[in-house]
Amino acid sequence: MTGLRRSWLQSANAAETDFPLNNLPCGVFSAGGSGPRCGVAIGDRILDVAALERAGLIALAGGPLLQAGIWNPLMAAGPAVWAALRAQLTALLAEGSEAANDLSRHLVEQREAVLHLPFAVAEFTDFYASRHHAFNVGSMFRGPENALPPNWLHMPIGYNGRASSVVVSGTPVRRPWGQVREPGEEAPRFVPSARLDFELELGAIVGQPSCGPVTVAEADRMIFGYVLLNDWSARDIQAWEYQPLGPFQSKATATTISPWIVTRAALEPFRCPTPPRERPLLPHLAEPGPMLYDIALEAELTPDGAEPVTIARSNYRHMSYSAAQQLAHHTTSGCPMRVGDLIGSGTISGPDRTSRGSLLELSWGGREPLAVGSATRSFLEDGDRLTLRGHAAAGGYRVGFGECSGRILPALADPYRREEKPRR
């Protein structure tokens, strides 16, 4: 395990920063009236890497690659170019670097910047890969003896979501309308969701395409980096629609991601194996080595007008299937993967109640409301803000993701109301 890499920018050396020189996460920002451009977080600043490329302070094979206001061109250039950029930025920002004066003019304070989606999302697939989460949810609806579906121990289960619904942290989320039917009701109703939930997840970003099945090791090398991910879920809509084809409109409202992509290279020192398995996987899904990461995660709920309360703490090491296994499984049919595909881990729940990664689990389907300061919650209410955080830590430094946050807006009064155009 490497220790802290010291920078000439002192805020990058602080023990509490998410963004030391060891991290260098990739984002897109705007400031001072400029349009969105690629930047890297370092300490409490953002380094304008698009400006560095234009100034010739960094040079990449096949460049320019950082001028599009998204990271997709850099990702498409491949792992050798990813490593070259990381090496050049590390040298420029390292303590004792002679480039400090040249780089200082290209630093922007994070508090003065607006953050945007860091990449163009090609497709979005979400999985169901935490045994604790799957067992909890299955136990609620089928009892503990039938909690896990028969296929769950053999492959990562997932569904194809909506890339168009992926939004960056800070974007408000409006409560959706949908069809629901409660037990005992004869017919469904079209109403605003009363059981809106969050899901604590990690998202993997595919940085290289595939044109056929890939191994788990190959899939791991295709991953550019990771973001925090909240797959907002309307549980009452989901309960009525999910049979027989799974989630649809209940998951289409929004998926929020953190604005900083923490690269696979930055997480390399924190690799760890998946938990012991009850049954061996088929050879094409077997791990060639540690495929997970020791990333501490938390979910914080802030009721409207109240103080924030941490309602869950979990860790990515609890997952039964890694992003590399999920990606490899995705390709088994020959399904092509694209640069910019987003792979959601599924809810990351741990073995005890405080490590459950959704309100569905924390309130046990609404039957055991959760204390949130002086309030209680079974599901999210209008005005609530839900914030995810995560970091890996060791050797006197931490590699963090920043925040993944969204606030719930009330449902539209009438989703089908159309304003009439005035007659001339």
Side-chain angles (χ1 to χ4, degrees), residues 13-345:
N13 302 326
E16 68 277 7
T17 185
D18 273 350
F19 309 124
L21 186 54
N22 304 66
N23 193 349
L24 300 179
C26 305
V28 171
F29 75 103
S30 57
S34 69
R37 54 196 191 271
C38 292
V40 164
I42 179 74
D44 60 1
R45 307 297 173 92
I46 301 172
L47 181 62
D48 186 343
V49 294
L52 295 191
E53 187 180 49
R54 288 195 302 271
L57 293 171
I58 54 176
L60 300 170
L65 298 174
L66 303 173
Q67 305 304 311
I70 52 174
W71 283 86
N72 297 59
L74 185 282
M75 292 192 289
V81 177
W82 309 345
L85 175 62
R86 183 172 176 82
Q88 290 180 48
L89 291 176
T90 299
L92 291 170
L93 289 163
E95 191 173 58
S97 168
E98 296 181 357
N101 289 335
D102 292 331
L103 264 64
S104 293
R105 70 188 68 161
H106 299 299
L107 289 170
V108 175
E109 291 192 27
Q110 288 190 32
R111 62 185 180 183
E112 296 179 354
V114 176
L115 299 176
H116 306 274
L117 271 178
F119 66 106
V121 183
E123 306 283 353
F124 170 51
T125 304
D126 197 38
F127 282 86
Y128 187 57
S130 160
R131 192 191 191 287
H132 299 293
H133 175 67
F135 183 81
N136 288 339
V137 174
S139 295
M140 281 180 227
F141 298 104
R142 296 183 296 274
E145 65 281 357
N146 296 309
L148 295 179
N151 57 359
W152 198 92
L153 295 174
H154 298 276
M155 65 179 181
I157 299 172
Y159 72 93
N160 286 315
R162 290 290 304 170
S164 63
S165 296
V166 178
V167 296
V168 73
S169 176
T171 305
V173 175
R174 189 170 293 279
R175 183 178 299 276
W177 285 69
Q179 276 200 26
V180 302
R181 194 184 80 170
E182 299 295 339
E185 294 182 344
E186 293 185 1
R189 296 169 291 124
F190 185 67
V191 293
S193 172
R195 294 192 166 200
L196 188 58
D197 200 359
F198 77 96
E199 290 189 343
L200 171 59
E201 301 192 27
L202 206 65
I205 299 165
V206 177
Q208 288 287 276
S210 70
C211 55
V214 301
T215 67
V216 175
E218 289 169 337
D220 185 56
R221 292 191 292 270
M222 289 168 59
I223 296 172
F224 177 67
Y226 293 82
V227 291
L228 298 176
L229 186 149
N230 182 353
D231 187 31
W232 305 93
S233 301
R235 300 299 187 186
D236 41 3
I237 298 172
Q238 183 178 1
W240 171 233
E241 75 175 4
Y242 84 101
Q243 293 181 346
L245 295 181
F248 184 41
Q249 293 300 87
S250 58
K251 300 277 192 171
T253 298
T255 299
T256 302
I257 64 171
S258 54
W260 297 109
I261 305 170
V262 176
T263 63
R264 180 168 54 86
L267 291 171
E268 198 66 28
F270 306 99
R271 283 190 182 265
C272 61
T274 49
R277 298 192 182 278
E278 298 171 46
R279 297 177 187 174
L281 296 175
L282 293 175
H284 72 283
L285 285 176
E287 302 102 318
M291 292 284 109
L292 292 179
Y293 302 98
D294 184 2
I295 301 173
L297 301 160
E298 67 178 41
E300 177 187 271
L301 178 58
T302 307
D304 193 16
E307 293 297 314
V309 177
T310 299
I311 59 173
R313 288 188 172 90
S314 191
N315 196 295
Y316 185 57
R317 66 170 180 255
H318 295 312
M319 301 303 285
S320 292
Y321 296 97
S322 66
Q325 289 170 302
Q326 292 166 345
L327 179 54
H329 178 64
H330 211 324
T331 70
T332 54
S333 65
C335 169
M337 304 304 294
R338 303 176 182 175
V339 174
D341 277 352
L342 177 62
I343 306 292
S345 64

